[in-house]
Amino acid sequence: MKQWLENQFAQHYDTQGNRHVVHEEVLVGDAALHDAHACGSCMPFFSSTCEHETFRIHTAHPVSCLALEEFFNGFRNLPGERCDVMLVDERKVALVDMYCGMSDYLEPHAVDGKKTIGKKAKVRQQIESALTRLCSIPEIASFLAGVPEKVGIFAYRAKDEELFVNVPRQVSRSMNMFLRLNKAQNERRLSLPMPHGFVYVMHAFPALYEW
């Protein structure tokens, strides 16, 4: 995948012939990912608990993690939106976008009096847009068509749950139980079809995603 991005994708979207390099990290065992832009919005009293972890993953064998948003941002006027990273091996591909913030923003809400669709829907748009760009390259489209499992993952860390760390234990336990129940119900409901055989799912921190 790295070679297709740096060669065929770059040749298609950069007519000037500039060289583009995608940063690759190999994950194995337990790993934690974060998005600097997402974690940058943490309020000061969250900084000691964040530790820049948004998506925790476990894999028994090596998985390539490609910095997709960083790579896309290297192109001038590349159409569409971006997602943070691509995880890929021979049997599975995941396009992942991460969010670290208050759970109120997951659903539709108002910002400065204007309605927004919420992060849950926005991230789905971003992943689908990135997928469209990727599949415009025949080699990448062919590879994705042959991969058995394909997912778009909205990995999020709801900071409001961490507000209850220092409140009385009984209140904290009750609030966290309520939040975890709502979170589990939302995740069970969310399994939405996407183009090219992908499925859109949510995954909440600190649960470990089993690759």
Side-chain angles (χ1 to χ4, degrees):
M1 181 61 68
K2 177 178 170 68
Q3 291 76 15
W4 291 325
L5 289 170
E6 293 177 346
N7 294 296
Q8 283 85 349
F9 188 96
Q11 292 168 13
H12 182 78
Y13 284 107
D14 188 341
T15 57
Q16 302 301 313
N18 297 312
R19 175 159 171 72
H20 296 268
V21 177
V22 58
H23 177 73
E24 180 180 32
E25 180 182 0
V26 177
L27 309 180
V28 64
D30 291 344
L33 304 178
H34 79 284
D35 171 38
H37 298 293
C39 287
S41 64
C42 291
M43 288 181 275
F45 52 86
F46 287 141
S47 59
S48 62
T49 61
C50 180
E51 297 178 353
H52 300 292
E53 293 186 357
T54 306
F55 183 48
R56 298 177 65 239
I57 180 173
H58 173 79
T59 173
H61 59 276
V63 172
S64 174
C65 178
L66 300 166
L68 206 58
E69 181 178 35
E70 178 186 81
F71 177 70
F72 279 9
N73 287 343
F75 293 82
R76 181 178 297 180
N77 301 321
L78 182 71
E81 298 180 89
R82 292 97 165 95
C83 64
D84 292 323
V85 298
M86 173 191 284
L87 304 176
V88 57
D89 64 15
E90 70 281 355
R91 65 176 184 84
K92 184 173 180 177
V93 173
L95 296 177
V96 184
D97 200 75
M98 291 172 276
Y99 167 72
C100 183
M102 306 299 279
S103 60
D104 287 349
Y105 300 128
L106 298 176
E107 304 295 343
H109 61 279
V111 176
D112 297 329
K114 298 181 180 180
K115 292 184 178 180
T116 70
I117 61 175
K119 287 295 293 185
K120 186 191 299 184
K122 179 62 176 175
V123 167
R124 185 184 182 190
Q125 287 183 354
Q126 291 173 220
I127 292 176
E128 288 186 349
S129 181
L131 184 57
T132 298
R133 302 284 82 71
L134 293 168
C135 287
S136 66
I137 307 305
E139 292 85 351
I140 296 177
S142 178
F143 172 79
L144 293 178
V147 174
E149 188 175 356
K150 299 179 279 279
V151 290
I153 302 175
F154 176 27
Y156 72 97
R157 181 169 183 169
K159 298 304 257 181
D160 43 338
E161 294 190 13
E162 295 167 25
L163 285 171
F164 302 106
V165 172
N166 295 318
V167 302
R169 180 175 298 178
Q170 189 60 42
V171 176
S172 176
R173 183 181 301 140
S174 298
M175 290 303 299
N176 279 317
M177 185 178 299
F178 172 75
L179 289 166
R180 283 197 301 269
L181 179 61
N182 280 349
K183 180 196 300 179
Q185 290 173 340
N186 286 336
E187 290 178 354
R188 282 197 297 269
R189 285 197 298 265
L190 186 69
S191 181
L192 304 174
M194 302 179 76
H196 304 285
F198 277 68
V199 175
Y200 182 55
V201 300
M202 292 175 67
H203 187 80
F205 181 92
L208 195 63
Y209 184 86
E210 291 290 345
W211 185 261

PDB file of all heavy atoms in Angstrom, residues 45-46 49-50 100 157-166 176 179 205:
ATOM      1  N   PHE A  45      -7.570  20.879  32.574  1.00  0.00           N
ATOM      2  CA  PHE A  45      -7.711  19.903  33.652  1.00  0.00           C
ATOM      3  C   PHE A  45      -7.840  18.485  33.132  1.00  0.00           C
ATOM      4  O   PHE A  45      -7.942  17.543  33.894  1.00  0.00           O
ATOM      5  CB  PHE A  45      -8.896  20.238  34.564  1.00  0.00           C
ATOM      6  CG  PHE A  45     -10.201  20.452  33.863  1.00  0.00           C
ATOM      7  CD1 PHE A  45     -11.033  19.390  33.570  1.00  0.00           C
ATOM      8  CD2 PHE A  45     -10.589  21.733  33.507  1.00  0.00           C
ATOM      9  CE1 PHE A  45     -12.245  19.602  32.929  1.00  0.00           C
ATOM     10  CE2 PHE A  45     -11.795  21.945  32.864  1.00  0.00           C
ATOM     11  CZ  PHE A  45     -12.627  20.880  32.581  1.00  0.00           C
ATOM     12  N   PHE A  46      -7.834  18.294  31.822  1.00  0.00           N
ATOM     13  CA  PHE A  46      -7.807  16.951  31.256  1.00  0.00           C
ATOM     14  C   PHE A  46      -6.385  16.504  30.916  1.00  0.00           C
ATOM     15  O   PHE A  46      -6.141  15.336  30.654  1.00  0.00           O
ATOM     16  CB  PHE A  46      -8.635  16.870  29.978  1.00  0.00           C
ATOM     17  CG  PHE A  46     -10.117  16.908  30.210  1.00  0.00           C
ATOM     18  CD1 PHE A  46     -10.930  17.621  29.345  1.00  0.00           C
ATOM     19  CD2 PHE A  46     -10.687  16.239  31.267  1.00  0.00           C
ATOM     20  CE1 PHE A  46     -12.302  17.652  29.536  1.00  0.00           C
ATOM     21  CE2 PHE A  46     -12.056  16.273  31.466  1.00  0.00           C
ATOM     22  CZ  PHE A  46     -12.860  16.979  30.602  1.00  0.00           C
ATOM     23  N   THR A  49      -4.754  13.425  32.394  1.00  0.00           N
ATOM     24  CA  THR A  49      -5.378  12.119  32.194  1.00  0.00           C
ATOM     25  C   THR A  49      -5.351  11.674  30.742  1.00  0.00           C
ATOM     26  O   THR A  49      -5.553  10.505  30.441  1.00  0.00           O
ATOM     27  CB  THR A  49      -6.845  12.132  32.668  1.00  0.00           C
ATOM     28  OG1 THR A  49      -7.568  13.100  31.907  1.00  0.00           O
ATOM     29  CG2 THR A  49      -6.934  12.487  34.140  1.00  0.00           C
ATOM     30  N   CYS A  50      -5.104  12.593  29.811  1.00  0.00           N
ATOM     31  CA  CYS A  50      -5.205  12.250  28.395  1.00  0.00           C
ATOM     32  C   CYS A  50      -4.083  11.324  27.946  1.00  0.00           C
ATOM     33  O   CYS A  50      -4.325  10.297  27.339  1.00  0.00           O
ATOM     34  CB  CYS A  50      -5.185  13.515  27.542  1.00  0.00           C
ATOM     35  SG  CYS A  50      -5.296  13.184  25.775  1.00  0.00           S
ATOM     36  N   CYS A 100     -11.101  13.351  20.346  1.00  0.00           N
ATOM     37  CA  CYS A 100     -10.899  13.404  21.789  1.00  0.00           C
ATOM     38  C   CYS A 100     -11.618  14.639  22.294  1.00  0.00           C
ATOM     39  O   CYS A 100     -11.179  15.765  22.029  1.00  0.00           O
ATOM     40  CB  CYS A 100      -9.393  13.473  22.083  1.00  0.00           C
ATOM     41  SG  CYS A 100      -8.974  13.470  23.833  1.00  0.00           S
ATOM     42  N   ARG A 157     -12.641   9.366  22.257  1.00  0.00           N
ATOM     43  CA  ARG A 157     -12.436   9.389  23.703  1.00  0.00           C
ATOM     44  C   ARG A 157     -13.349  10.464  24.285  1.00  0.00           C
ATOM     45  O   ARG A 157     -13.161  11.655  24.027  1.00  0.00           O
ATOM     46  CB  ARG A 157     -10.982   9.690  24.029  1.00  0.00           C
ATOM     47  CG  ARG A 157     -10.689   9.698  25.520  1.00  0.00           C
ATOM     48  CD  ARG A 157      -9.192   9.737  25.793  1.00  0.00           C
ATOM     49  NE  ARG A 157      -8.935   9.667  27.211  1.00  0.00           N
ATOM     50  CZ  ARG A 157      -7.738   9.469  27.752  1.00  0.00           C
ATOM     51  NH1 ARG A 157      -6.689   9.321  26.955  1.00  0.00           N
ATOM     52  NH2 ARG A 157      -7.583   9.414  29.058  1.00  0.00           N
ATOM     53  N   ALA A 158     -14.354  10.049  25.047  1.00  0.00           N
ATOM     54  CA  ALA A 158     -15.335  10.976  25.614  1.00  0.00           C
ATOM     55  C   ALA A 158     -14.802  11.549  26.918  1.00  0.00           C
ATOM     56  O   ALA A 158     -14.752  10.862  27.935  1.00  0.00           O
ATOM     57  CB  ALA A 158     -16.661  10.256  25.833  1.00  0.00           C
ATOM     58  N   LYS A 159     -14.399  12.810  26.903  1.00  0.00           N
ATOM     59  CA  LYS A 159     -13.743  13.387  28.062  1.00  0.00           C
ATOM     60  C   LYS A 159     -14.685  13.628  29.221  1.00  0.00           C
ATOM     61  O   LYS A 159     -14.247  13.734  30.364  1.00  0.00           O
ATOM     62  CB  LYS A 159     -13.076  14.707  27.668  1.00  0.00           C
ATOM     63  CG  LYS A 159     -12.001  14.548  26.615  1.00  0.00           C
ATOM     64  CD  LYS A 159     -10.950  13.569  27.062  1.00  0.00           C
ATOM     65  CE  LYS A 159      -9.700  14.258  27.520  1.00  0.00           C
ATOM     66  NZ  LYS A 159      -8.662  13.309  27.945  1.00  0.00           N
ATOM     67  N   ASP A 160     -15.989  13.738  28.960  1.00  0.00           N
ATOM     68  CA  ASP A 160     -16.905  13.983  30.067  1.00  0.00           C
ATOM     69  C   ASP A 160     -16.935  12.827  31.045  1.00  0.00           C
ATOM     70  O   ASP A 160     -17.238  13.009  32.223  1.00  0.00           O
ATOM     71  CB  ASP A 160     -18.314  14.318  29.563  1.00  0.00           C
ATOM     72  CG  ASP A 160     -18.755  13.438  28.419  1.00  0.00           C
ATOM     73  OD1 ASP A 160     -17.892  12.871  27.732  1.00  0.00           O
ATOM     74  OD2 ASP A 160     -19.965  13.328  28.197  1.00  0.00           O
ATOM     75  N   GLU A 161     -16.600  11.620  30.615  1.00  0.00           N
ATOM     76  CA  GLU A 161     -16.540  10.497  31.551  1.00  0.00           C
ATOM     77  C   GLU A 161     -15.453  10.733  32.590  1.00  0.00           C
ATOM     78  O   GLU A 161     -15.561  10.299  33.737  1.00  0.00           O
ATOM     79  CB  GLU A 161     -16.272   9.200  30.806  1.00  0.00           C
ATOM     80  CG  GLU A 161     -17.398   8.796  29.891  1.00  0.00           C
ATOM     81  CD  GLU A 161     -17.211   7.397  29.354  1.00  0.00           C
ATOM     82  OE1 GLU A 161     -16.352   6.676  29.877  1.00  0.00           O
ATOM     83  OE2 GLU A 161     -17.939   7.042  28.430  1.00  0.00           O
ATOM     84  N   GLU A 162     -14.392  11.430  32.211  1.00  0.00           N
ATOM     85  CA  GLU A 162     -13.280  11.654  33.120  1.00  0.00           C
ATOM     86  C   GLU A 162     -13.562  12.769  34.111  1.00  0.00           C
ATOM     87  O   GLU A 162     -12.786  12.993  35.042  1.00  0.00           O
ATOM     88  CB  GLU A 162     -12.019  11.936  32.308  1.00  0.00           C
ATOM     89  CG  GLU A 162     -11.622  10.726  31.486  1.00  0.00           C
ATOM     90  CD  GLU A 162     -10.567  11.039  30.428  1.00  0.00           C
ATOM     91  OE1 GLU A 162      -9.814  12.007  30.593  1.00  0.00           O
ATOM     92  OE2 GLU A 162     -10.514  10.293  29.440  1.00  0.00           O
ATOM     93  N   LEU A 163     -14.681  13.478  33.936  1.00  0.00           N
ATOM     94  CA  LEU A 163     -15.070  14.497  34.897  1.00  0.00           C
ATOM     95  C   LEU A 163     -15.418  13.889  36.248  1.00  0.00           C
ATOM     96  O   LEU A 163     -15.368  14.562  37.271  1.00  0.00           O
ATOM     97  CB  LEU A 163     -16.288  15.267  34.377  1.00  0.00           C
ATOM     98  CG  LEU A 163     -16.044  16.287  33.266  1.00  0.00           C
ATOM     99  CD1 LEU A 163     -17.376  16.771  32.727  1.00  0.00           C
ATOM    100  CD2 LEU A 163     -15.229  17.447  33.778  1.00  0.00           C
ATOM    101  N   PHE A 164     -15.770  12.595  36.250  1.00  0.00           N
ATOM    102  CA  PHE A 164     -16.278  11.980  37.471  1.00  0.00           C
ATOM    103  C   PHE A 164     -15.196  11.273  38.271  1.00  0.00           C
ATOM    104  O   PHE A 164     -15.487  10.597  39.240  1.00  0.00           O
ATOM    105  CB  PHE A 164     -17.401  10.989  37.118  1.00  0.00           C
ATOM    106  CG  PHE A 164     -18.526  11.640  36.376  1.00  0.00           C
ATOM    107  CD1 PHE A 164     -18.694  11.416  35.018  1.00  0.00           C
ATOM    108  CD2 PHE A 164     -19.380  12.498  37.022  1.00  0.00           C
ATOM    109  CE1 PHE A 164     -19.721  12.040  34.324  1.00  0.00           C
ATOM    110  CE2 PHE A 164     -20.406  13.116  36.335  1.00  0.00           C
ATOM    111  CZ  PHE A 164     -20.579  12.886  34.985  1.00  0.00           C
ATOM    112  N   VAL A 165     -13.938  11.442  37.883  1.00  0.00           N
ATOM    113  CA  VAL A 165     -12.852  10.755  38.564  1.00  0.00           C
ATOM    114  C   VAL A 165     -12.760  11.176  40.019  1.00  0.00           C
ATOM    115  O   VAL A 165     -12.526  10.356  40.910  1.00  0.00           O
ATOM    116  CB  VAL A 165     -11.512  11.018  37.845  1.00  0.00           C
ATOM    117  CG1 VAL A 165     -10.347  10.469  38.651  1.00  0.00           C
ATOM    118  CG2 VAL A 165     -11.535  10.387  36.461  1.00  0.00           C
ATOM    119  N   ASN A 166     -12.941  12.480  40.303  1.00  0.00           N
ATOM    120  CA  ASN A 166     -12.710  12.989  41.646  1.00  0.00           C
ATOM    121  C   ASN A 166     -13.988  13.237  42.450  1.00  0.00           C
ATOM    122  O   ASN A 166     -13.930  13.859  43.502  1.00  0.00           O
ATOM    123  CB  ASN A 166     -11.904  14.300  41.554  1.00  0.00           C
ATOM    124  CG  ASN A 166     -10.516  14.057  40.985  1.00  0.00           C
ATOM    125  OD1 ASN A 166      -9.865  13.087  41.333  1.00  0.00           O
ATOM    126  ND2 ASN A 166     -10.078  14.955  40.113  1.00  0.00           N
ATOM    127  N   ASN A 176     -20.630   6.690  35.631  1.00  0.00           N
ATOM    128  CA  ASN A 176     -19.853   5.941  34.649  1.00  0.00           C
ATOM    129  C   ASN A 176     -20.619   4.733  34.124  1.00  0.00           C
ATOM    130  O   ASN A 176     -20.503   4.375  32.958  1.00  0.00           O
ATOM    131  CB  ASN A 176     -18.519   5.494  35.244  1.00  0.00           C
ATOM    132  CG  ASN A 176     -17.489   6.605  35.226  1.00  0.00           C
ATOM    133  OD1 ASN A 176     -17.368   7.320  34.248  1.00  0.00           O
ATOM    134  ND2 ASN A 176     -16.767   6.764  36.312  1.00  0.00           N
ATOM    135  N   LEU A 179     -22.991   6.158  31.557  1.00  0.00           N
ATOM    136  CA  LEU A 179     -22.297   6.531  30.332  1.00  0.00           C
ATOM    137  C   LEU A 179     -21.852   5.315  29.543  1.00  0.00           C
ATOM    138  O   LEU A 179     -21.949   5.281  28.321  1.00  0.00           O
ATOM    139  CB  LEU A 179     -21.088   7.416  30.670  1.00  0.00           C
ATOM    140  CG  LEU A 179     -21.440   8.823  31.161  1.00  0.00           C
ATOM    141  CD1 LEU A 179     -20.216   9.483  31.774  1.00  0.00           C
ATOM    142  CD2 LEU A 179     -21.991   9.667  30.032  1.00  0.00           C
ATOM    143  N   PHE A 205     -12.644   4.730  23.575  1.00  0.00           N
ATOM    144  CA  PHE A 205     -11.561   4.594  24.531  1.00  0.00           C
ATOM    145  C   PHE A 205     -12.170   4.381  25.927  1.00  0.00           C
ATOM    146  O   PHE A 205     -13.204   4.971  26.240  1.00  0.00           O
ATOM    147  CB  PHE A 205     -10.717   5.882  24.503  1.00  0.00           C
ATOM    148  CG  PHE A 205      -9.538   5.875  25.420  1.00  0.00           C
ATOM    149  CD1 PHE A 205      -8.307   5.447  24.974  1.00  0.00           C
ATOM    150  CD2 PHE A 205      -9.666   6.304  26.718  1.00  0.00           C
ATOM    151  CE1 PHE A 205      -7.208   5.439  25.820  1.00  0.00           C
ATOM    152  CE2 PHE A 205      -8.583   6.302  27.576  1.00  0.00           C
ATOM    153  CZ  PHE A 205      -7.345   5.859  27.128  1.00  0.00           C
TER     154      PHE A 205
END
